[in-house]
Amino acid sequence: MKKKSLLLLITIICLSLVLAACGGNASNEGKKGNEGKSNDTTDSADAPKPVKLSILAWNNEKEMKPVIDGFKKKYPHITFDFQFAPPVADYIKKLQTMLLSDTTPDIFMIAAENRNEIIDGGYALDLTDQPFMSVMLDSNKPMLSKNGRTYAFTQTGWAGGLFYNKQLFQKAGINQLPETWDEFIQACLKLKEAGILPLYDRMHDITIIHSAMFGSNVLSKDPSFDEKLFKGEATFAEGWTEVLTMWKEGLIDNKILTPDMIGMTSDQVMNEFALGNVAMFPGGPWNIGTIEQTNPDIEFEIMAIPGKEPGNKYFNGAPGVGFAVSSKTKNKDEALLFLEYLSTHDGLKQFEEGTGGIITAHGYETKVHPAYEPAYKDGLMAGRIYLPMVSWDRHQEALRNQFLVGFQDIALNHITPEEATAALDKKLKEMDNK
Amino acid sequence: MTKFVRQLQFLLFLLPILVIYSLFTIFPLVKAFFLSFTNFNGYSKVFDFVGMKNYVRIFADDAIISAISYTLFFTFAKALLVTVLAIPLAMILDQKFFTRNLHRAIFFFPSIPSGLLLAYIWGFILAPMGSGVFNTILKGLFNIGPQPWLADPLLAKLSTIVVATWAITGWHAVLYLAFLQSIPKDYYEAASIDGANRLQQIRFITLPLLAPAMTISIMLLITGGLKVFEIPFALTKGGPGFETYSITQVIMLRGISETQYGLASAMSVVFFLIVLAIAVFQVTVMQRREQSMQ
């Protein structure tokens, strides 16, 4: 009985295997048949293999949806594993973890804050010779380059300046925008005399005013100053002492800016401006919507920071973060296709629509808010923007923190501008020798 | 043999938590100690051993020197203020009155939200402009002009301590309350029959019997205070200058922001030793005090 059961079991198994094999053949044949049929209409032998591209962005999925949908429409065989981390610190930490654990996404973003580490670590593909790079503005390239090679593609940029309230300026009798630093200080004092708070500036970071002042006073004379500084041919003392002295004498000593502003937040500063409590504040395109929402009646516009001599006006600003391709990607062609799509008119339009970023690519015209036009035309598109962290060659974060502490101490009259710049030179030396 | 098997069973039950603890606490500690002798930058897997260089650099760093002084000031001032406020508060909340539970909940509530959230709210209250909430009240009641609560070095230090004290006093009051409720009422009745007034009862019954609670509360306040980050960071970002930099903020700054992980690891090791030494000293001293009071 036992033998019979065993035989029956073996027979059943054998039969099942035979049937399964037949079934397999049948389905394979079926597939072949289908392929044959599809060959009649499209050439499926050449049809691209489905590919899943991984991407880590600091624009969220909603913001990136239009550009991703546009790309998928053009390349239906490519899908996305989309990951998001908010800028800046969270994004940098997440990317750093992925780089160190060999889980780098195919496409990621390079910012001013992590460009050195990514480029020096060989994590990003060299994109210099890719045809789509011709769309990128030359002024956008240095932030994402090293030794003349560019490692990411950016199609955006931003500029910040001083927003001023036109009604309050008129009330104080200021009918013309200041052309020089002295005129700017005079305008501030005129506002003060009229009982109007001239300017609020939160002092929690290198300010828009400092950056633009450096542009209008130092870079307008010597555009390669930072290059020299990091080659050891110039010092912070030579470049920044005069700027910080002008800032202190003009704004701190005249009590236009007061040390209590160190405790203010960006939102507080912006709200005070929107409510008409202060005539000027440093801001950028990200503020415009909220100002108008808070006070639809306000008449305002952005202006540059003038230098000592007339004609030298600068804004603060930088290129937007760049899209890079991982040097270890297994989907290099598809990742490059995505970057290429970003550079097309359709890609630029979708990116602008989704993220609200200001497109600064060749052959694409962005329509900006009228209040922002001076920054867009005279700053961004004219290349008269400056942000130290983008221009400084190395140790940006350490120098940024030292700078911040330095100018706060100047505002409190704890140190002189000379001492602040000496501390910056010391910090650079210390970081180079670490 | 049976005893060995029994012990083995206990050990087997402990194994999962031992693995998790080793993985998430012991391993990072050992790794930090190892990295403190290197120039690891957080990006490149290739790094060199630099010996004691990072440890030498700690004491040449202005930010860390300032951070140690602020953190110690913050810790001891907060511990003192919380203890001075929490014990009387616990005694009040221990009394029988109609809204007792509601009051216990109200005082306990500030310890629930994250320190960051509380600090952002206090940022508006302490805003330095004339339109800041606190400054408006001062102007309205006493005709005092706007004060730079978060920008003046001394006021910024005091503001962070006040906010941190406000946030945690209720929590510590609840801790004292639990101990208060364990004191037998007979002691007070006996003392009252002997003619002891309320103050004498507090002095000779309540405070000695609260000594174990004080040991725990102060230990938590000191270790928590030394590890402070959220409240000063959200209120002042460490400013003005280095005035309200906490030790943890400098470690994060040097490590994550400036990619000097080797230096930050050395700072963490030194910080760990400081916290350990202070906590062990405090617990030993206070336990002796407990014994002498009982």
Side-chain angles (χ1 to χ4, degrees):
Chain A
M1 184 64 190
K2 270 187 181 175
K3 257 188 180 176
K4 269 188 182 174
S5 307
L6 194 68
L7 263 171
L8 189 68
L9 186 70
I10 291 169
T11 316
I12 290 169
I13 292 170
C14 288
L15 269 172
S16 318
L17 285 172
V18 170
L19 283 172
C22 290
N25 280 341
S27 67
N28 282 344
E29 273 165 20
K31 265 188 187 170
K32 275 178 191 166
N34 283 340
E35 276 170 14
K37 269 182 198 170
S38 69
N39 275 344
D40 296 340
T41 50
T42 57
D43 192 2
S44 89
D46 295 335
K49 232 173 40 179
V51 169
K52 193 169 216 175
L53 274 181
S54 55
I55 178 166
L56 175 69
W58 77 10
N59 294 106
N60 63 36
E61 207 160 358
K62 192 182 159 201
E63 289 172 340
M64 289 291 283
K65 195 177 180 308
V67 76
I68 283 179
D69 285 352
F71 178 73
K72 282 205 281 200
K73 211 168 149 188
K74 204 170 172 193
Y75 302 101
H77 66 290
I78 301 175
T79 52
F80 286 89
D81 170 15
F82 186 88
Q83 292 190 65
F84 158 73
V88 177
D90 287 347
Y91 180 85
I92 284 173
K93 256 188 276 171
K94 183 164 181 175
L95 178 62
Q96 190 181 9
T97 312
M98 294 173 103
L99 296 172
L100 279 176
S101 57
D102 288 330
T103 54
T104 316
D106 298 317
I107 298 165
F108 56 87
M109 283 166 159
I110 298 182
E113 289 85 351
N114 64 358
R115 70 184 160 120
N116 283 342
E117 288 77 11
I118 287 175
I119 295 172
D120 294 345
Y123 293 111
L125 218 62
D126 182 350
L127 302 178
T128 319
D129 302 322
Q130 294 295 327
F132 58 78
M133 293 299 273
S134 59
V135 175
M136 193 167 152
L137 289 190
D138 285 342
S139 57
N140 277 353
K141 286 181 180 167
M143 182 182 99
L144 303 160
S145 303
K146 196 127 203 185
N147 302 325
R149 312 299 294 173
T150 310
Y151 295 85
F153 170 79
T154 183
Q155 71 286 52
T156 58
W158 61 272
L162 276 183
F163 280 112
Y164 66 98
N165 182 323
K166 290 181 177 176
Q167 292 128 312
L168 292 180
F169 265 46
Q170 268 171 11
K171 203 174 152 190
I174 304 163
N175 301 315
Q176 224 181 351
L177 287 181
E179 283 299 313
T180 64
W181 179 253
D182 283 342
E183 283 177 27
F184 171 67
I185 298 297
Q186 289 312 313
C188 290
L189 294 173
K190 230 174 172 182
L191 283 159
K192 246 179 125 177
E193 275 167 31
I196 299 164
L197 269 170
L199 172 67
Y200 266 154
D201 191 1
R202 57 163 213 129
M203 296 189 231
H204 274 172
D205 205 341
I206 295 182
T207 66
I208 287 177
I209 297 179
H210 289 124
S211 303
M213 277 180 81
F214 184 80
S216 52
N217 290 293
V218 180
L219 291 184
S220 50
K221 286 181 207 150
D222 182 2
S224 61
F225 182 86
D226 279 343
E227 211 176 296
K228 288 180 189 162
L229 175 65
F230 285 90
K231 277 184 186 165
E233 295 162 9
T235 60
F236 277 102
E238 287 162 13
W240 279 94
T241 307
E242 193 189 11
V243 172
L244 288 175
T245 307
M246 281 166 66
W247 178 77
K248 183 188 176 292
E249 287 174 358
L251 296 175
I252 302 291
D253 293 351
N254 283 316
K255 293 191 171 35
I256 294 162
L257 289 181
T258 46
D260 56 319
M261 290 177 200
I262 293 171
M264 295 173 105
T265 65
S266 332
D267 287 345
Q268 286 166 353
V269 169
M270 183 186 61
N271 276 338
E272 293 292 309
F273 175 80
L275 295 170
N277 294 337
V278 63
M280 288 179 279
F281 92 103
W286 53 89
N287 295 124
I288 294 173
T290 321
I291 295 172
E292 285 193 320
Q293 224 173 356
T294 312
N295 182 2
D297 299 327
I298 191 169
E299 287 173 32
F300 68 109
E301 196 178 49
I302 199 164
M303 70 174 185
I305 305 287
K308 236 176 163 180
E309 286 141 30
N312 291 341
K313 287 183 178 182
Y314 249 77
F315 288 87
N316 154 252
V321 282
F323 285 87
V325 174
S326 166
S327 54
K328 289 181 184 164
T329 179
K330 287 175 185 160
N331 303 312
K332 183 181 159 187
D333 293 341
E334 289 78 8
L336 289 173
L337 272 181
F338 181 70
L339 265 60
E340 187 202 19
Y341 177 72
L342 284 177
S343 72
T344 61
H345 189 272
D346 190 36
L348 293 167
K349 199 175 146 205
Q350 305 292 359
F351 191 82
E352 183 185 23
E353 191 186 305
T355 64
I358 298 168
I359 305 293
T360 56
H362 284 302
Y364 190 90
E365 207 171 304
T366 302
K367 201 167 164 41
V368 296
H369 189 281
Y372 189 68
E373 259 173 24
Y376 178 67
K377 282 184 183 159
D378 308 333
L380 209 47
M381 298 311 279
R384 293 181 79 80
I385 53 169
Y386 177 70
L387 182 74
M389 285 76 80
V390 169
S391 187
W392 288 343
D393 182 61
R394 53 190 186 273
H395 316 309
Q396 295 99 328
E397 286 305 295
L399 293 168
R400 173 196 202 154
N401 292 322
Q402 185 60 50
F403 192 99
L404 168 66
V405 167
F407 81 76
Q408 284 190 349
D409 278 341
I410 295 174
L412 289 163
N413 269 322
H414 285 177
I415 61 170
T416 61
E418 286 80 7
E419 285 169 323
T421 50
L424 276 165
D425 282 319
K426 191 181 150 208
K427 188 79 187 175
L428 177 58
K429 222 176 251 175
E430 181 196 315
M431 293 298 291
D432 278 341
N433 296 330
K434 72 178 177 183
Chain B
M1 186 64 189
T2 326
K3 198 180 169 190
F4 175 73
V5 172
R6 267 177 73 83
Q7 280 183 345
L8 201 68
Q9 281 175 339
F10 289 133
L11 286 173
L12 274 174
F13 272 108
L14 282 174
L15 196 63
I17 192 64
L18 190 71
V19 170
I20 292 169
Y21 181 73
S22 306
L23 200 65
F24 294 109
T25 308
I26 306 292
F27 176 69
L29 270 174
V30 173
K31 183 109 193 232
F33 185 67
F34 166 74
L35 289 174
S36 70
F37 297 104
T38 69
N39 61 359
F40 178 56
N41 70 357
Y43 279 89
S44 172
K45 289 176 186 171
V46 182
F47 49 81
D48 302 313
F49 280 88
V50 294
M52 295 298 287
K53 199 175 170 187
N54 288 327
Y55 287 91
V56 174
R57 283 184 65 203
I58 292 175
F59 299 100
D61 190 324
D62 291 344
I64 195 87
I65 303 296
S66 177
I68 289 173
S69 112
Y70 166 71
T71 308
L72 289 176
F73 177 61
F74 175 91
T75 303
F76 292 110
K78 187 184 108 178
L80 184 72
L81 274 175
V82 171
T83 308
V84 166
L85 293 171
I87 294 174
L89 181 63
M91 286 176 187
I92 294 167
L93 294 176
D94 194 30
Q95 305 298 314
K96 282 182 188 161
F97 56 97
F98 180 59
T99 54
R100 183 172 73 166
N101 288 338
L102 178 71
H103 274 86
R104 284 179 183 177
I106 288 171
F107 283 108
F108 185 70
F109 175 73
S111 63
I112 298 171
S114 87
L116 271 179
L117 186 68
L118 291 177
Y120 282 127
I121 295 166
W122 272 90
F124 281 99
I125 296 172
L126 298 170
M129 308 92 72
S131 56
V133 178
F134 211 56
N135 281 337
T136 309
I137 294 171
L138 278 183
K139 180 81 182 161
L141 292 180
F142 310 106
N143 200 25
I144 296 174
Q147 299 297 310
W149 298 109
L150 302 171
D152 175 76
L154 182 64
L155 281 178
K157 282 178 186 163
L158 295 179
S159 300
T160 53
I161 291 166
V162 167
V163 174
T165 304
W166 170 86
I168 207 69
T169 300
W171 192 93
H172 284 267
V174 170
L175 181 84
Y176 284 114
L177 188 61
F179 276 79
L180 276 179
Q181 286 173 345
S182 69
I183 300 174
K185 299 285 174 244
D186 310 0
Y187 292 1
Y188 293 104
E189 282 166 19
S192 159
I193 291 165
D194 289 344
N197 63 24
R198 186 77 186 118
L199 273 179
Q200 284 168 325
Q201 286 175 23
I202 291 171
R203 164 78 181 83
F204 295 105
I205 301 172
T206 311
L207 289 180
L209 291 174
L210 274 185
M214 284 176 82
T215 307
I216 297 169
S217 168
I218 293 176
M219 188 198 72
L220 291 174
L221 283 167
I222 288 179
T223 50
L226 290 170
K227 290 187 289 184
V228 65
F229 174 72
E230 299 112 309
I231 288 179
F233 180 76
L235 277 175
T236 63
K237 297 270 187 303
F242 289 128
E243 299 290 344
T244 57
Y245 261 69
S246 64
I247 298 176
T248 42
Q249 190 183 343
V250 180
I251 292 172
M252 287 182 71
L253 187 80
R254 297 287 181 257
I256 295 167
S257 169
E258 297 177 4
T259 66
Q260 301 188 71
Y261 277 77
L263 177 65
S265 300
M267 286 176 174
S268 309
V269 171
V270 171
F271 178 50
F272 171 75
L273 294 175
I274 292 174
V275 175
L276 188 73
I278 293 177
V280 168
F281 175 75
Q282 179 262 330
V283 171
T284 313
V285 168
M286 292 202 73
Q287 275 177 345
R288 273 192 206 149
R289 178 178 160 271
E290 276 175 42
Q291 284 159 6
S292 70
M293 285 181 98
Q294 281 162 2

